[in-house]
Amino acid sequence: GRHRGLPGEAGAAVLRHAPATPSCSPSFHVPRFLFFFLFSFFLSSATIRPTMSFQPLASPVPTPNPATAAGSQNLYSTLRSAFPADLDATAVEATAPDGTPLHYSWRDLDRASARMANLLASLALPEGSRVAVQVEKSVEAMILYLATLRAGYVFLPLNTAYQSGEIEYFIGNAEPAVVVCTPANFGWVSKIAFTAGTQHVFTLGED
């Protein structure tokens, strides 16, 4: 089906936060640089402040996946095993457009990614399907990345500077099962995606 927007009740993170400043220091099984890369890739002007203390684990801790059974063995479960015991601790600090300080807890990331993962799983996509994403850096974009891993699919980021020619090329070659774009670009991106055979197009914005 053709979709506009990631509905909050069905799968979206209903969290309206601006680009953030994360704080984390993951365990032995998730190298610190991996978390730093994750935050830095999805969040503009990110400053890493490792203020949390994690004890090295003897072995990875698998986390049940609410979306798919296979998902318990993927990269998301490895990242999830490095979350602190106190899930209510702040994972990401953000600032709203009006300057109000906002905070994501690790529980927020866990629950929001679960909702999005469940939405993706409900589409009954083939195993290993690609999810092509062209959105601005944001906490929500990072949550979508985590959700894609959690559901067992492949996250394909697309540069926000790409215009119709580049998007047509990448969608035509990658053949994603799902395309996610900004609300402002839905008109032309969805046209390209549907023409290429993509069955599902969603939007993800700050609101």
Side-chain angles (χ1 to χ4, degrees), residues 27-58:
S27 74
F28 174 79
H29 292 284
V30 183
R32 179 178 298 178
F33 76 83
L34 182 58
F35 261 91
F36 287 5
F37 170 79
L38 178 62
F39 282 124
S40 300
F41 185 85
F42 287 100
L43 308 176
S44 59
S45 303
T47 301
I48 307 302
R49 295 185 293 104
T51 59
M52 296 183 181
S53 175
F54 290 76
Q55 294 299 320
L57 303 176

Side-chain angles (χ1 to χ4, degrees), residues 7-8 18 24 27 48-49 58 60 74 78 80 85 90 96-97 143 145 157 160 166 169 173 185 191-192 195 198 203:
C24 70
S27 74
I48 307 302
R49 295 185 293 104
N74 64 23
T78 303
R80 177 61 178 80
T90 298
I143 290 173
Y145 169 74
T160 55
E166 292 95 339
Y169 172 81
N173 281 269
N185 291 343
K191 182 178 180 180
I192 292 173
T195 298
T198 300
T203 62

Side-chain angles (χ1 to χ4, degrees), residues 139-189:
V139 179
E140 287 73 24
M142 183 176 68
I143 290 173
L144 175 58
Y145 169 74
L146 294 174
T148 302
L149 297 182
R150 192 166 187 164
Y153 302 128
V154 178
F155 187 90
L156 174 63
L158 299 176
N159 194 312
T160 55
Y162 287 163
Q163 298 301 308
S164 59
E166 292 95 339
I167 293 298
E168 184 174 6
Y169 172 81
F170 279 104
I171 290 180
N173 281 269
E175 299 182 340
V178 175
V179 170
V180 181
C181 62
T182 62
N185 291 343
F186 177 82
W188 65 271
V189 171

Side-chain angles (χ1 to χ4, degrees), residues 6 11 13 15 22 24 30 34-43 63-68 71-83 87 91-92 104-121 131 133 135 138-157 180 204:
L6 291 173
L15 300 169
C24 70
V30 183
L34 182 58
F35 261 91
F36 287 5
F37 170 79
L38 178 62
F39 282 124
S40 300
F41 185 85
F42 287 100
L43 308 176
T63 301
N65 187 333
T68 63
S72 64
Q73 303 302 318
N74 64 23
L75 178 58
Y76 175 80
S77 64
T78 303
L79 292 170
R80 177 61 178 80
S81 72
F83 282 22
L87 293 180
V92 178
Y104 279 98
S105 68
W106 293 96
R107 193 181 306 279
D108 289 332
L109 299 183
D110 192 43
R111 288 179 173 176
S113 64
R115 289 197 295 271
M116 281 192 180
N118 284 329
L119 172 62
L120 292 173
V131 179
V133 181
V135 298
S138 68
V139 179
E140 287 73 24
M142 183 176 68
I143 290 173
L144 175 58
Y145 169 74
L146 294 174
T148 302
L149 297 182
R150 192 166 187 164
Y153 302 128
V154 178
F155 187 90
L156 174 63
V180 181
L204 181 68

